[in-house]
Amino acid sequence: MLRVSTFLALSIAYSAMAFANPVQYAINTQKTSVEVFWTLAGSAISHAQITHITGAITLDSHKDFEDKIVVNIPIYSLNAQNILLTNELKSGTFFDEAHFPLAHFSSTRVIDIGGGHYRVLGSLQIKNIQRAVILEAEIVPDVHPNAQRGDMTLHANTTISRSAFGMDSYLLLVADPIKIDINIEASMG
């Protein structure tokens, strides 16, 4: 009887530890993008897309302080509405790709606010400037017919001040607030 109860206690303890372990996801570079939107000349909306994003997501259902989202955003992959705008955004006037080829986001906390919605606190580094940001995020279970078990889609958005990141040229023409939409597809790995 003692052996059976010891075995059951160990099995329960092992199951609890296995369930509490964090789940890690690798970002699918081909299916992940960042969209950047701004107002031009007071009314027109312009945008650019950044692809080839890498990173990882770690989620622990029992310890939200252990949740982590790390994203590397390569500026070389930025593509705007035309080649002139793309080149200007990559220049020293804005992202300065030659000196700072990557932007970087790292979460400090992921807060579950219910219904698959999360508030992600973290820091965004563009060029050599790092600022705190808050993302409003939603995790959507993958329902694509070809999705593998354990795939995940995360949609997030935030608004930043471009001048806070040293991109303060053309303020009379281009609005300071920049809206960012992030679409991440990731797989357990």
Side-chain angles (χ1 to χ4, degrees), residues 72-124:
N72 296 304
I73 307 160
I75 302 306
Y76 77 82
S77 70
L78 184 144
N79 188 11
Q81 296 159 316
N82 62 60
I83 192 69
L84 293 174
L85 181 55
T86 297
N87 290 339
E88 184 67 13
L89 289 171
K90 290 180 181 182
S91 77
T93 305
F94 291 98
F95 284 98
D96 196 3
E97 176 198 7
H99 294 102
F100 306 100
L102 283 177
H104 181 77
F105 173 80
S106 181
S107 69
T108 53
R109 177 117 190 257
V110 179
I111 303 166
D112 185 347
I113 55 177
H117 294 271
Y118 298 83
R119 187 155 294 127
V120 181
L121 312 177
S123 66
L124 176 63

Side-chain angles (χ1 to χ4, degrees), residues 31-35 53 153-156 181-185:
K31 295 181 178 180
T32 297
S33 66
V34 172
E35 301 276 340
I53 293 159
T153 300
L154 182 139
H155 301 292
D181 287 341
I182 303 155
N183 294 298
I184 294 175
E185 291 202 24

Side-chain angles (χ1 to χ4, degrees), residues 12 23 25 30 43 52 64 73 75 83 95 107 113 116 122-123 131 134 141 155 165 170 173 176 180 183 188:
I12 291 169
V23 178
Y25 297 86
Q30 275 67 42
S43 61
H52 297 88
D64 65 350
I73 307 160
I75 302 306
I83 192 69
F95 284 98
S107 69
I113 55 177
S123 66
R131 298 280 185 254
I134 299 172
H155 301 292
F165 290 93
Y170 311 117
L173 183 62
D176 190 44
I180 301 173
N183 294 298
M188 262 195 261

Side-chain angles (χ1 to χ4, degrees), residues 33-78:
S33 66
V34 172
E35 301 276 340
V36 181
F37 299 89
W38 62 93
T39 304
L40 181 65
S43 61
I45 303 292
S46 292
H47 76 280
Q49 182 180 56
I50 305 173
T51 58
H52 297 88
I53 293 159
T54 60
I57 299 171
T58 303
L59 298 175
D60 188 326
S61 61
H62 289 55
K63 300 177 191 169
D64 65 350
F65 282 102
E66 300 294 324
D67 293 345
K68 191 77 172 164
I69 300 172
V70 176
V71 180
N72 296 304
I73 307 160
I75 302 306
Y76 77 82
S77 70
L78 184 144

Side-chain angles (χ1 to χ4, degrees), residues 143-172:
V143 293
H144 302 294
N146 296 330
Q148 300 292 320
R149 186 167 184 252
D151 285 356
M152 176 233 308
T153 300
L154 182 139
H155 301 292
N157 62 68
T158 192
T159 300
I160 64 167
S161 162
R162 67 183 178 93
S163 60
F165 290 93
M167 295 186 274
D168 53 4
S169 297
Y170 311 117
L171 283 175
L172 294 177

